[in-house]
Amino acid sequence: MTRLENLGGSLGDGLGSCEFLWDLTGARVNPACVQYISIVPSAAAALVLGYYVLQALLPARPLWLQDFAAEESKYVGELRRTNKAWTLWTVLLLLSTTIGLAISIISALFASQSFVGALSVAPWAVAVLVVGARRPKSTPALLVFLYGLMLVCQITVVVSISPLYGRTLALRVSEICLTVFIIIVILMMPMRSPDLDSSDVCLPSRPPTHHLRSPEDNMTLWHFMTVAWMAPLISLGKRKQLNDEDVWLLPYEFQHSRLHYLFREVRGSVLIRLLQANALDLIITTFLGILESAARYSTPVLLQQLLRSIEDPKAAKKTAITYAALILAVRLIATQSGVFSLWFCRRCYERSRGEMVTMVFEKALSRKAFGSEGDVAESKDSTTGVNGVSNCTEEFTHSLLKRRFLQILRFLRLGMLQRFLSTKTEATKKRSRASMGKILNLLRNDVYEVAQRFWECQNIITKPLGLLLSVTLVWKLLGWPCLIGVSVVIAAQLLNILFVRVLLRLERVRRLATDTRLQVSSQFIEAIRHLRWYDWQMSWLNRILESRQHELRLRVITGLLNVAIASSNFLAGCLFPVIAFAAYTLLAGQPLRVDVAFPAIQLFSMLDASLKDLPELIRVLLNANIALGRIEDFMSEPNKEDSMIDRASSVPGVVFSNASFAWPGFSECILKELDISFSPGLSLVCGRVGQGKSALLQAALGELDKRDGRLVRPDAMIGYCSQSPWLQSMSIRDNILFGAPYNETRYKQTLDACALIPDFAGFKHGDLSNVGENGIGLSGGQRARVALARAVYSRATVLLLDDPIAALDHGTATTIVQRLFGGSLVKGRTVILVTHRVDLCAHLADQIVEIREGRATVVDKASFTTHQNALRSTSPGPPREEDQIQKQDEDEANAVPDKFIEEEHRAKGGVVASVYWQYVKAGDLRLWLGLVLAIVFFRISRLSNFWFLKSWGEAYGETRESSIFDLFGSLPSPEVNVRPWLIGFLIVAVLLATAFCLTEIVMLFIVYVAGKHLFKDVLHRVSNATFRFYDTTPIGRLMNRLTSDFGTLDGNITYQLQNVAWCSISWLSAVVIIASTTPLFLIFTIAMTATFVWIFMWFLPTSQSLRRLEMVSLSPLLSNFGTLLEGLTTVRAFHAQAQFQARVIVVTDAFQKMDHFYWSLQAWLMFRFDSLSAISIFLLTLLALYDNLSQGLTAFVLTTAANFVNNTHFLCKQYGQLQMEFVSVERVVELLDLEQEPTGSVQPPASWPSYTDDVIFDNVTIKYAPHLDPALSGVSFRIPGGSTTAIIGRTGSGKSTLALTLLATMLPESDGHITIGSIDLSKVNVHTLRQRVTFVAQDPVLFPGTLRQNLDPGEAYSDDECTSVLNRIFATTSSSSSTNTMSTFTLTTPIETGGKNLSQGQRQLIGLGRAILRRSPVVILDEATASIDTQTALEVQRVLREELAESTVIMIAHRVEAVREASWAVVLDKGRVVASGKAEEVVEKQFMGFRHDR
């Protein structure tokens, strides 16, 4: 009988003698159990075969088991036709598995006496069957698992039954080599089917480009495992600063164009939808988390066996080396699992975040544009879901789940948590419509909070599992004494429930405080120009700083609660080993030897972490529940109800039949019993201020709630032009086209009809010029005409125009009326024009509708004819225009003017030291010194803890060895008296906990002080920056820095600094200890550190570039939301929701891709660092064995060495993370360097300016920036003190620029001067100037609050004064025939953000009220009555003459009645003074007939 047959027989005989699987002494599998090893791959093969059989029988899987948004789903038909084709990889796989099957059969024949041995054939047979049947052309994931398991079992068998000889050895080695070869083949196979188109996927070997998708879409398993596909981007990032065009597109499964539309189809609540869309990732990450937990908890067990093998004189060094090798293998498995886990966790996180971002944006597109606090609750109670039942179903499911959860809590006696969940807070009961600040907070914080829980979802399983494993292993090591130690930690957790309950309540309040701060900051940034014109910025700054102080105060309170929780947890963790060891030594009478103490400490640390993680897990889940509830509240806000409109394609106009409308959320109707039709042709809508003219257009658009009657309109887009022109930060042409195809003929006709051709001739890039944010690069009239052109150019059959000619000079308005409303562009279209300038349009109108007290009546057209003819005789003729648009030679790519757009700055290279120093100074140097001392104290306490244990363990027996210092030699032997050792250990534990608590408290106050000072300093710099900064910086960019970047400052950034300091001190102390033990260790540590640093230096440049790109790409996302909310009505009127949704998808892709590749880079670093750490610890263990150190010293050195390796690892990672976090600080600090507006050196006397002071312009040339063309050129004129002066000129002639120079927002060139009285405005204190000169803009900014707060934000006047002004200005709208709604306005009347609950005319009246209240010696009115009807405007002029009789009033006006009473006039054209002097003479000379009119 051969040796192999003898071996097979012996294995068969030993089937019943396998009493234990692992031989602890020999560090190998029990030879009697080797036969069972063959069962493992066979069982795995059965599972693989079963999976494929089920897949064939059940092709349709539920959604939660499908790969959401997988690319293959698009090509199912193609794959089915081609999936049976052969490839080189398929042939190699089939050939090698067939050879393996033959070898396994031969091995089984030789071992015929063992039935179990014959099972080794099964895995090969299944592999052959699967490969032959499926012919895989891409990586077969299950076969990788099967072959990997087979390889482990094959090696285990060979090692356990060695030595082998001859044929047996050859067969075993051949089988192992063949398995390795097959695994290599599979590793080299593409993970994506080669049948799919790969032309748009970048290969891992090619340079990165933004034209191609990430190599993740076409890489091998080896690239995936090692993250080697990132190499091209890393190489490029090391050579240069990365730009957007250097970064790949997102992989297919991450792109939101597909994710969003698939996510829309998923039904249920937000949570249910997210779970269904990401369930597969959650399952995979949970499995990987369990694998990592098993690997992590096996390390202390293996360490114990390693130490025992060193202590045992009979054990060979091979045993210790085997355990060291097993520790290495376990660490490498954990490393590989970590790479996979990070990728799938990131996919789950990124996709859930992107799904929520696009979902919130889509909701913003569809929700009602107006509302009040009761809006949401009222609508929710009175409406159902889309299908009529979905809301009820979701509510039932939610309540059922909540009842079940409360029953579980009741069973577990967690009464406080139960009551917390079952009790609704006041914030939950009272819902309000989401403001801009809240939506920004939803996007920046709540969405992240929820997505973060999806990233960490595996913790729900792994944390309790870790607790179970920890308790089991500690029990195995110490026995029952461990339970006494566990009781201490459990008691601490029960105490923490009180803290957590209070913390969660405060967290809700803190989030509301953050919402408030963001809302106030957003309003401040949006209105900064207007606030500075009135010098009100300081009062607003105080409001913001108060809200910030309130937020920080709550952050400190919640932070102290967190410190209390963390400190009690840490103290319990320190007392845990003290009490457990006391019970183990005193009560159980067991010696605490080294092989027990150090593994126990490691297990205690794990158990303590698990016990602390459970309350933390509950806390973060409840926080996520709060965030999810806020998102759900937003999603439950009522949508615009298009069902109230009868859409008919055959109806050419708009028909109201006995229809009544109210603003959403209000019960009182604003429009009553409308019974009117608008047919093709021009219909004029007129009426007094606040009567409902704009509301009529809103009703036609479906933006109001229809209370009664019927509204019929075409089922198509509507060309809408709002009263306040809404433009986007893009070229003029793109604003006009608004997504429509470019038709050159129609486009030129539109420009001509809207009188835009002369304006474009003056622009460097013509109609390709960028208008800047909110059209800041255009004058008010130009903005109005571009918005009008957008409506006219569209193919809409219905045009709703809300007073677009109000802001135009008389000549331009006349031109537009003649060319547009009398031309072919509106022929056959229903045009509803709201206007106060009926005199210009009445002769072309088909009907005229007057709105009075919310009711519409058609008036006789003849009643307007006489007045129209009289005014037309005094009107200037239309200005002469160019016949054609100037041909533009510049390419569109270069069409962004320097005037209004600047690319957001990105720093290069590492974060400079000055940024760190700026933050350190903001946090108070004394606090930082205290932090360093606390960390040093903590580290000394930690080392004392380990050294004390080493000395304690070695104190048993006759010898007491110490290679450095015998610090505890005076203590008695623990065998005689263990109590001094326990007392010493307790003292060290208490010192350690004290140091931890001190560190946390100091860190908390550093966060508070730094956040407070930096926010205050930044706001002061922003509020005093030059006006040029506001012209070139979009609001979204500023808000990004005030929200996202300050969120980082308030968050973990200081803790990153703390971690770097901690790791640095730990690293240095570890080096000292290792070097003092053996010089060989020091040489190795230097080499290892150099390797870590070399890898890290490849990582750092690319990570910094990606992080900066990520922060920059977030600004457009926030800007898009702000832009959308401002122009929501226009977007919906044009049916442009899909266009805007597509745009936000593109922006989200751009933002997410930077984040995606940044974390992919982290995975690249993690794989290399973790692998190097595992190998380094293995080599350090071999060095310790080579030096023959004692067991205690070996344990101490290995623990210190492991800490050294981990600290080296984490120091690099934490420094890199710190650099990334400090990018936010860098961006904030950049705002501290903003160029500040000169405040002026001359403080004028209190009597300046007097009412008789002349205003003199002397050769004034104004430029928006030094490199730009002048907006005013050589302007010289005088305005007599006390006069009423009209500034006249065509739209865009420089009138508003001239007016703003009187506020010193722009200073003249060096040879020009502007003086009021005898004081040069370029030298006067600007704050004093703006307090004494009043500027009323055409579109005054209103703030949320009361009417009193809007009239006098600085609270400089009494309530009686404000009431008097209110009565005077509102009295202008009263008439004998009607009861005006304005009479109901009081100082306490609420005003919504931007005054959205008021008409444009009413907002202008409030702006004029501010001027009357201040009664400044110089008052500037910039088209301040443009949106007010003629009759009211005349009354307003009378009031202004009476109230400002002594003031110098400078009026920019276009309407004749607005300048009729002027005593002085200045005419501008193209930035130059054409004429100036007495009004009669100037106007008679420029516009014939003025005298006749007077």
Side-chain angles (χ1 to χ4, degrees), residues 940-1103:
I940 293 173
S941 301
R942 175 70 79 182
L943 288 175
S944 301
N945 190 47
F946 288 133
W947 188 260
F948 190 90
L949 275 179
K950 175 258 179 194
S951 299
W952 187 355
E954 289 185 335
Y956 290 94
E958 298 180 358
T959 59
R960 302 274 297 275
E961 179 183 350
S962 177
S963 60
I964 306 178
F965 300 104
D966 191 6
L967 300 177
F968 309 104
S970 59
L971 294 178
S973 171
E975 293 175 315
V976 177
N977 184 7
V978 77
R979 284 182 174 81
W981 293 93
L982 289 171
I983 294 172
F985 196 39
L986 174 63
I987 293 172
V988 173
V990 171
L991 290 175
L992 193 60
T994 303
F996 175 83
C997 184
L998 287 175
T999 303
E1000 293 295 310
I1001 292 175
V1002 174
M1003 289 303 307
L1004 175 63
F1005 283 100
I1006 287 176
V1007 172
Y1008 168 77
V1009 173
K1012 178 181 179 179
H1013 289 168
L1014 281 176
F1015 190 83
K1016 179 181 179 181
D1017 293 344
V1018 163
L1019 275 187
H1020 274 286
R1021 299 294 291 185
V1022 169
S1023 63
N1024 291 294
T1026 62
F1027 281 80
R1028 164 72 177 167
F1029 171 73
Y1030 308 137
D1031 292 340
T1032 58
T1033 306
I1035 291 173
R1037 187 183 300 173
L1038 261 181
M1039 286 307 301
N1040 184 19
R1041 301 199 181 197
L1042 293 178
T1043 56
S1044 176
D1045 293 325
F1046 266 102
T1048 303
L1049 264 68
D1050 291 339
N1052 296 325
I1053 190 165
T1054 309
Y1055 292 96
Q1056 295 293 342
L1057 276 171
Q1058 178 188 17
N1059 290 336
V1060 168
W1062 237 324
C1063 289
S1064 300
I1065 294 173
S1066 299
W1067 185 85
L1068 287 172
S1069 61
V1071 169
V1072 171
I1073 293 170
I1074 290 173
S1076 63
T1077 305
T1078 171
L1080 189 59
F1081 270 48
L1082 182 60
I1083 296 172
F1084 176 79
T1085 54
I1086 292 174
M1088 187 198 65
T1089 303
T1091 307
F1092 271 113
V1093 172
W1094 179 76
I1095 294 173
F1096 181 71
M1097 294 312 294
W1098 277 90
F1099 158 85
L1100 188 59
T1102 305
S1103 66

Side-chain angles (χ1 to χ4, degrees), residues 837-1020:
R837 304 178 76 169
V838 182
D839 55 294
L840 296 180
C841 315
H843 66 290
L844 296 174
D846 294 288
Q847 74 171 348
I848 301 176
V849 177
E850 183 179 9
I851 305 295
R852 180 178 299 179
E853 297 183 4
R855 302 177 187 273
T857 55
V858 178
V859 298
D860 185 10
K861 179 180 174 181
S863 63
F864 290 87
T865 305
T866 305
H867 183 56
Q868 170 211 345
N869 290 334
L871 290 178
R872 196 187 313 173
S873 65
T874 68
S875 302
R880 205 179 84 184
E881 301 176 358
E882 298 176 7
D883 296 326
Q884 297 179 349
I885 301 176
Q886 179 184 350
K887 184 178 179 181
Q888 304 296 318
D889 297 326
E890 294 86 349
D891 185 13
E892 187 168 353
N894 299 320
V896 180
D898 299 328
K899 191 173 184 179
F900 310 111
I901 286 294
E902 287 183 0
E903 185 178 351
E904 186 165 7
H905 172 71
R906 281 191 296 127
K908 297 182 179 180
V911 178
V912 295
S914 60
V915 175
Y916 291 99
W917 179 241
Q918 195 80 34
Y919 186 78
V920 169
K921 286 193 300 182
D924 195 324
L925 295 178
R926 293 168 297 179
L927 289 174
W928 285 105
L929 178 60
L931 176 64
V932 172
L933 294 176
I935 292 175
V936 171
F937 179 36
F938 180 86
R939 183 56 184 165
I940 293 173
S941 301
R942 175 70 79 182
L943 288 175
S944 301
N945 190 47
F946 288 133
W947 188 260
F948 190 90
L949 275 179
K950 175 258 179 194
S951 299
W952 187 355
E954 289 185 335
Y956 290 94
E958 298 180 358
T959 59
R960 302 274 297 275
E961 179 183 350
S962 177
S963 60
I964 306 178
F965 300 104
D966 191 6
L967 300 177
F968 309 104
S970 59
L971 294 178
S973 171
E975 293 175 315
V976 177
N977 184 7
V978 77
R979 284 182 174 81
W981 293 93
L982 289 171
I983 294 172
F985 196 39
L986 174 63
I987 293 172
V988 173
V990 171
L991 290 175
L992 193 60
T994 303
F996 175 83
C997 184
L998 287 175
T999 303
E1000 293 295 310
I1001 292 175
V1002 174
M1003 289 303 307
L1004 175 63
F1005 283 100
I1006 287 176
V1007 172
Y1008 168 77
V1009 173
K1012 178 181 179 179
H1013 289 168
L1014 281 176
F1015 190 83
K1016 179 181 179 181
D1017 293 344
V1018 163
L1019 275 187
H1020 274 286

Side-chain angles (χ1 to χ4, degrees), residues 130-284:
V130 170
V131 174
R134 297 187 64 87
R135 301 175 193 175
K137 292 182 284 186
S138 58
T139 304
L142 288 178
L143 289 185
V144 175
F145 164 71
L146 178 60
Y147 282 117
L149 200 58
M150 288 168 59
L151 180 62
V152 172
C153 292
Q154 289 164 2
I155 294 174
T156 301
V157 169
V158 170
V159 172
S160 299
I161 62 176
S162 59
L164 295 174
Y165 304 97
R167 184 166 48 193
T168 304
L169 180 62
L171 288 172
R172 293 291 183 181
V173 173
S174 299
E175 199 170 3
I176 291 174
C177 291
L178 191 61
T179 305
V180 172
F181 174 75
I182 293 173
I183 291 175
I184 292 174
V185 170
I186 295 176
L187 290 178
M188 295 297 107
M189 291 179 69
M191 295 183 67
R192 178 173 179 265
S193 174
D195 296 321
L196 298 176
D197 182 22
S198 300
S199 59
D200 60 342
V201 181
C202 189
L203 295 176
S205 58
R206 296 182 58 188
T209 172
H210 71 293
H211 296 297
L212 300 175
R213 291 188 345 233
S214 166
E216 292 162 280
D217 277 345
N218 193 18
M219 62 180 173
T220 64
L221 181 58
W222 174 253
H223 284 128
F224 184 40
M225 292 172 61
T226 61
V227 204
W229 57 271
M230 282 290 294
L233 190 64
I234 294 170
S235 299
L236 185 62
K238 189 169 175 61
R239 294 196 305 267
K240 55 169 280 191
Q241 169 101 345
L242 292 179
N243 296 309
D244 182 70
E245 57 270 17
D246 299 319
V247 184
W248 301 294
L249 297 175
L250 280 170
Y252 185 84
E253 295 179 0
F254 289 79
Q255 292 181 359
H256 297 86
S257 56
R258 180 169 178 78
L259 282 174
H260 171 67
Y261 295 108
L262 287 174
F263 189 70
R264 290 176 62 188
E265 302 302 319
V266 183
R267 292 290 177 257
S269 64
V270 175
L271 178 61
I272 296 299
R273 294 167 66 192
L274 289 170
L275 287 175
Q276 289 194 67
N278 299 282
L280 188 60
D281 285 341
L282 297 178
I283 293 171
I284 293 172

Side-chain angles (χ1 to χ4, degrees), residues 19 68 147 185 188 194 363 470 493 500 550 661 764 852:
E19 298 179 358
F68 196 70
Y147 282 117
V185 170
M188 295 297 107
K363 176 65 181 181
S470 299
Q493 302 313 312
V500 170
H550 179 56
F661 298 88
K764 180 180 179 181
R852 180 178 299 179

Side-chain angles (χ1 to χ4, degrees), residues 1388-1444:
T1388 58
T1389 299
I1391 304 296
E1392 290 188 4
T1393 303
K1396 289 183 179 178
N1397 58 332
L1398 304 178
S1399 71
Q1400 177 70 7
Q1402 290 167 340
R1403 292 198 289 269
Q1404 285 195 336
L1405 286 175
I1406 294 175
L1408 290 167
R1410 292 169 175 170
I1412 295 174
L1413 185 64
R1414 287 165 60 116
R1415 289 182 175 85
S1416 301
V1418 178
V1419 178
I1420 307 160
L1421 307 177
D1422 187 359
E1423 274 298 318
T1425 60
S1427 299
I1428 300 175
D1429 62 278
T1430 303
Q1431 184 177 351
T1432 302
L1434 292 174
E1435 290 294 321
V1436 168
Q1437 293 294 334
R1438 180 184 59 79
V1439 171
L1440 291 176
R1441 286 195 303 273
E1442 294 173 0
E1443 297 290 339
L1444 304 176

